[in-house]
Amino acid sequence: MSSVLDYEEISQDFDWSASEKELGYVEGGTINIGWYCSDRLCDLGLRKKPALIWEGHQGDERTYTFDDLRLRSNGIARYLRGLGLEPGERVCLFMDRIPELYIAFLAILKMGGIVQPLYSAFGEESLWTRLDDAGTAAILTQRKHVGKVRRIRDRLPGLRYVIVVDADESKLREAEIAFSLADTPPVEEFEVYPATAETPSVLHYTSGTTGQPKGAQHVHYSLISQYLTAKWVLDLRPDDIYWCNADPGWVTGTSYGIIGPWSNGITQAVLDAGFSARRWYGFIEKHRVTVWYSAPTAIRLLMREGKRVVEEYDLLSLRHLCSVGEPLNAEAVVWSWQALGLPFHDTYWQTETGCIVITNFPGMPVKPGSMGKPFPGIQATVLDTRTGEPINEPGKVGVIALKAPWPSIIRTYWRNPAGYERKFKDGWYMTDDRASIDEDGYYWFVGRDDDVINTGGHLVGPFEIESALLEHPAVAEAAAVGKPDPVNMEVVKAFVTLGPGYSDGEDLEIEIMNFIRKKLSALAMPQEIEFVDSLPRTRSGKIVRRVLRAQEWGEPVGDLSTLVEDEREGK
Ligand code: PRX
């Protein structure tokens, strides 16, 4: 079944104002995403419609209607405001995918705060880096994660509130607060913060090549893109049950795991459990999921389990499948076509773009292995890295560039406007991804144009890993690169030189791996550490990761004498 929309037709006279109109937004007026994802749907008669069907890892289930979202987000918003939190302050969500996470997300926006979602599996150092940079005023977390907050709290003078949503009050420490969603009375009336288009909304931390992760600053006007792309690309329709695998610690989990579906009044199902083919198929079958937004690593894991498992479940409810985060290989598309009867539609975008920018539009012929074409309203090209000019030759590789602005492009990097400026060239936003365009206008992803590592669809920054490695007493120098992996596309590999008195060996390798896992996360943990005598450097002494990376990928290293010292500065 394909969408009624014709890609060519709607591309011709596309204007984002179509989205503004549907949402009833008037230029210069208020636009609060929290309100748009709860109150507005109630005003439109969807009070009783399920908004969130939640299933926990132990199989416990809860359902919240759009009216529940409205009343409960009002309750949390009033509570936060009552604490003295001001509009514009950063409020962090550091939780598993429990209902509180989704409802508090809307609440923070409703009270005018900037919501800062962080992946709950982050270790204390990853957490500290991001809270410190954002100057976060409050954090909402769970009992199981509060220990990490405690260990860094004395290094976060600006963190005024640590709020535990499932606390046993007797076990809380001084200056920690217990909050219970269930015990908080629903609030009928709440004065929603009158956010306008450029009011900051969500702050997502993302990794670059140099420096610590950057806070990508979104604004409430992003809704205009997120609403329409969710509706058109994910092909959402009123009776859909939509499932997005992504954690809201990453942009997919907010743009399309909260804002996109809910602003469209769509019921979404959330599973707070890790990967398991049977559990996932069982979830689709049980909740009659119709639209599924997943990722290549997950699809490859499903492929590994085989088609037999698929046949044990009734998955006929599925109508549309999409994927994001890493290159969707042609085999995965063909497999899903055969196993599930539907192809996965690739979607390409970034934390910075805020919305899907290149995609296999529903109804458009899918070319397995291609990302598809630019979303209407997004002017894209590939630029020649030398001349900076658009490449007009089919098949020739360049850097994907997008003509700025569009509603959901980030407005800055938090406290790093210069880093943001560096992303632009002659009005083009540079993605730092390489691709080619074929004669039909389809984009084919080639690879990243920087040193960022994409493991299972999650970006990890080499600098953050290297800095953490250097804190281990045995490590003298370190470099982190991506090495190929059949499931995760890339995993982290570290090259390390040791300080005097230390000798290499498996015990030390495992010790360092665990050191990183605890400090940063399992994602950032090197899967392999190679102990070396020295690291490749430029003449001025800068470590050249690309030599190590090329070695891992079996690619030519290139001419080292031509290395430009600062070519990658600031990415
Ligand atoms: O390298 C591209 C890869 O993921 C990067 C963006 O990561 P992040 O900001 O964490 O956002 C991920 C979810 C939107 C991109 O620069 N990427 C994303 N989608 C694709 C992709 N690579 C290939 N194909 C895709 N469809």
Side-chain angles (χ1 to χ4, degrees):
M1 242 187 282
S2 64
S3 161
V4 286
L5 293 172
D6 181 275
Y7 174 78
E8 302 300 338
E9 206 177 295
I10 56 168
S11 298
Q12 266 166 25
D13 48 349
F14 180 87
D15 196 319
W16 288 109
S17 63
S19 179
E20 294 181 352
K21 244 183 235 149
E22 284 191 25
L23 289 165
Y25 168 74
V26 185
E27 203 183 329
T30 56
I31 178 169
N32 187 308
I33 290 175
W35 181 86
Y36 267 101
C37 290
S38 54
D39 300 52
R40 178 169 182 265
L41 289 317
C42 296
D43 293 350
L44 293 176
L46 301 183
R47 265 173 203 264
K48 294 198 175 135
K49 182 174 178 178
L52 174 65
I53 299 170
W54 178 84
E55 195 178 304
H57 55 92
Q58 286 172 328
D60 35 337
E61 233 180 272
R62 279 187 250 164
T63 298
Y64 296 84
T65 61
F66 278 101
D67 207 34
D68 292 332
L69 283 192
R70 177 180 73 88
L71 296 169
R72 298 196 171 275
S73 60
N74 279 352
I76 301 180
R78 187 160 83 178
Y79 166 78
L80 296 174
R81 199 174 269 173
L83 288 178
L85 286 162
E86 297 286 340
E89 289 201 290
R90 278 72 61 213
V91 181
C92 173
L93 294 170
F94 189 55
M95 289 184 236
D96 295 350
R97 281 171 283 175
I98 55 174
E100 283 84 344
L101 170 62
Y102 294 82
I103 299 172
F105 181 92
L106 303 185
I108 295 164
L109 296 173
K110 277 182 156 181
M111 51 79 58
I114 301 178
V115 56
Q116 182 193 14
L118 290 179
Y119 185 43
S120 61
F122 274 150
E124 59 205 57
E125 203 59 31
S126 286
L127 180 63
W128 177 80
T129 307
R130 292 157 175 83
L131 296 178
D132 177 57
D133 187 69
T136 308
I139 182 167
L140 281 86
T141 189
Q142 289 167 273
R143 234 176 339 178
K144 67 202 263 203
H145 300 301
V146 74
K148 293 186 263 193
V149 183
R150 282 178 186 159
R151 288 195 288 276
I152 55 174
R153 192 161 180 189
D154 58 349
R155 290 197 282 149
L156 294 165
L159 185 64
R160 305 204 298 282
Y161 304 104
V162 175
I163 302 158
V164 185
V165 300
D166 57 354
D168 170 349
E169 285 199 48
S170 65
K171 293 199 178 129
L172 284 184
R173 302 249 177 108
E174 204 191 324
E176 290 172 357
I177 320 171
F179 172 83
S180 159
L181 182 61
D183 297 341
T184 302
V187 171
E188 189 62 48
E189 296 294 333
F190 177 78
E191 205 183 311
V192 174
Y193 181 74
T196 51
E198 297 304 305
T199 305
S201 56
V202 186
L203 185 64
H204 268 297
Y205 274 78
T206 185
S207 299
T209 293
T210 55
Q212 292 290 359
K214 297 170 281 189
Q217 179 64 76
H218 296 267
V219 295
H220 282 266
Y221 190 63
S222 69
L223 173 69
I224 301 301
S225 296
Q226 289 153 346
Y227 165 82
L228 201 68
T229 48
K231 184 174 175 180
W232 287 3
V233 178
L234 304 176
D235 196 17
L236 296 176
R237 305 177 191 179
D239 292 336
D240 274 324
I241 306 288
Y242 165 74
W243 181 31
C244 170
N245 287 164
D247 188 297
W250 313 97
V251 73
T252 309
T254 57
S255 287
Y256 298 105
I258 300 181
I259 306 171
W262 280 350
S263 61
N264 275 280
I266 301 297
T267 303
Q268 64 164 332
V270 167
L271 175 63
D272 182 22
F275 177 81
S276 147
R278 283 179 201 281
R279 183 85 198 259
W280 282 25
Y281 293 143
F283 184 76
I284 293 171
E285 180 181 73
K286 182 171 170 193
H287 300 290
R288 312 303 299 151
V289 171
T290 54
V291 179
W292 183 17
Y293 199 13
S294 196
T297 291
I299 302 164
R300 284 192 289 270
L301 285 168
L302 292 172
M303 286 167 74
R304 263 197 180 177
E305 304 282 327
K307 282 187 204 137
R308 273 256 179 88
V309 189
V310 182
E311 284 155 14
E312 290 172 27
Y313 297 85
D314 172 4
L315 306 179
L316 287 173
S317 58
L318 288 174
R319 175 174 58 77
H320 190 56
L321 311 179
C322 292
S323 163
V324 66
E326 327 145 53
L328 179 64
N329 41 320
E331 297 76 27
V333 178
V334 172
W335 178 84
S336 83
W337 227 323
Q338 290 169 348
L340 302 168
L342 299 165
F344 268 95
H345 290 68
D346 199 4
T347 68
Y348 164 87
W349 56 295
Q350 302 181 315
T351 305
E352 286 86 344
T353 69
C355 75
I356 294 164
V357 290
I358 296 175
T359 183
N360 280 287
F361 209 77
M364 197 170 90
V366 172
K367 291 193 188 188
S370 159
M371 306 196 291
K373 297 186 186 188
F375 183 82
I378 300 287
Q379 191 192 339
T381 191
V382 292
L383 297 181
D384 188 309
T385 44
R386 269 181 223 158
T387 63
E389 293 298 318
I391 295 172
N392 295 315
E393 199 185 318
K396 198 166 167 217
V397 176
V399 171
I400 305 173
L402 311 166
K403 200 55 150 199
W406 59 94
S408 63
I409 185 174
I410 59 163
R411 301 306 197 262
T412 190
Y413 289 123
W414 188 257
R415 298 198 314 173
N416 183 6
Y420 184 63
E421 289 311 314
R422 278 198 292 271
K423 296 289 292 187
F424 296 88
K425 219 178 204 174
D426 302 331
W428 292 102
Y429 163 77
M430 309 291 288
T431 62
D432 295 331
D433 283 316
R434 285 177 294 125
S436 65
I437 308 172
D438 70 15
E439 50 291 334
D440 298 322
Y442 282 68
Y443 283 62
W444 297 78
F445 187 83
V446 172
R448 287 193 63 99
D449 195 43
D450 61 13
D451 291 342
V452 173
I453 303 158
N454 186 335
T455 179
H458 299 302
L459 302 189
V460 290
F463 181 84
E464 192 177 14
I465 302 168
E466 290 158 3
S467 305
L469 282 167
L470 291 176
E471 286 183 35
H472 189 280
V475 177
E477 301 168 299
V481 300
K483 77 165 199 171
D485 182 82
V487 171
N488 290 293
M489 187 173 86
E490 286 186 314
V491 289
V492 177
K493 175 169 178 179
F495 292 83
V496 156
T497 67
L498 294 175
Y502 289 97
S503 47
D504 59 19
E506 204 182 326
D507 287 352
L508 182 61
E509 183 182 4
I510 291 169
E511 185 189 311
I512 298 175
M513 283 175 175
N514 281 323
F515 179 78
I516 299 299
R517 185 174 52 77
K518 196 151 172 277
K519 259 186 175 314
L520 302 182
S521 66
L523 286 173
M525 181 184 84
Q527 301 292 314
E528 184 189 342
I529 297 178
E530 189 172 326
F531 297 102
V532 290
D533 293 334
S534 64
L535 293 171
R537 290 180 180 278
T538 57
R539 259 172 270 131
S540 68
K542 210 157 104 186
I543 294 171
V544 193
R545 296 190 194 102
R546 81 168 161 86
V547 174
L548 300 167
R549 191 189 143 82
Q551 188 179 304
E552 292 306 310
W553 288 79
E555 289 165 0
V557 169
D559 181 2
L560 286 182
S561 65
T562 62
L563 273 179
V564 179
E565 298 282 311
D566 294 319
E567 65 180 350
R568 293 181 182 267
E569 206 58 64
K571 276 190 181 170

